Amino acid sequence: MPIHGLAHYNIRADRRLLEALRDFYVAVVGLRPGPRPLTSFGYWLYAGARDVLHLSEAVANDPRRIGSDLTFDHVAFECGNWPEFRSRLEQHAVAFTERSDPDNGRRQVFFRDPAGNGIELAFPAGDA
C-alpha cells in the first residue's frame, strides 16, 4: 500500500495559543480557516481545497510544551510569489532566514510560529 503524500499535521495547545496560531497561519503563512467536522474545539486550516494543518485544544490532563525542541524541526510549504511573502513576514515583524538551494535554485525561507514550531516556505527557482 503506497503512501501518496502528507495529509495534514496537527498542533495541540491550550485555547489561548490556538487562537494565536490560527491568526498567525492565516495572516502570515496564508492558510485559510475551513470546515472542521468535529465537535471538540479547534481549527482546520486549508491550502486551496486541502486541510493541511489541524489545530486541536489540549485538555487539562494533556499538557504540552511550547516549541520544537524535540525531534520535530519544521514543516515545509511549497509557495509562489516570494515578494508577497517577504512583505507579509516583514509586516508582521517575523524574523526569518533564507537560502538558495545550490542544486536546484529553490529559495528556502525559515521562521517560527508563535509556539516555536519551525516553518519553511519553499519557492521555485526564478521566483523573485
Side-chain angles (χ1 to χ4, degrees):
M1 211 161 36
I3 301 283
H4 296 289
L6 179 67
H8 69 270
Y9 71 108
N10 185 76
I11 297 175
R12 187 177 301 276
D14 64 45
R15 193 172 290 212
R16 179 193 55 77
L17 183 53
L18 283 187
E19 301 287 337
L21 289 166
R22 180 204 57 206
D23 294 347
F24 181 86
Y25 279 93
V26 170
V28 176
V29 178
L31 299 179
R32 66 171 183 77
R36 182 178 184 268
L38 302 170
T39 57
S40 59
F41 183 81
Y43 303 99
W44 281 12
L45 302 181
Y46 288 70
R50 182 145 200 196
D51 58 299
V52 295
L53 172 56
H54 295 180
L55 301 174
S56 303
E57 183 175 30
V59 294
N61 61 352
D62 184 20
R64 298 293 171 133
R65 289 190 341 209
I66 302 296
S68 58
D69 63 342
L70 303 172
T71 57
F72 176 79
D73 186 70
H74 69 274
V75 62
F77 294 101
E78 291 185 6
C79 303
N81 197 346
W82 167 233
E84 177 187 330
F85 271 99
R86 175 187 279 278
S87 175
R88 201 180 292 174
L89 291 169
E90 291 170 348
Q91 175 186 8
H92 292 280
V94 174
F96 63 91
T97 59
E98 62 179 294
R99 71 179 190 136
S100 291
D101 185 323
D103 294 329
N104 59 25
R106 288 183 356 154
R107 180 187 312 269
Q108 296 168 289
V109 179
F110 300 92
F111 55 96
R112 299 218 170 258
D113 72 16
N117 299 304
I119 301 169
E120 173 188 343
L121 304 180
F123 297 88
D127 189 318

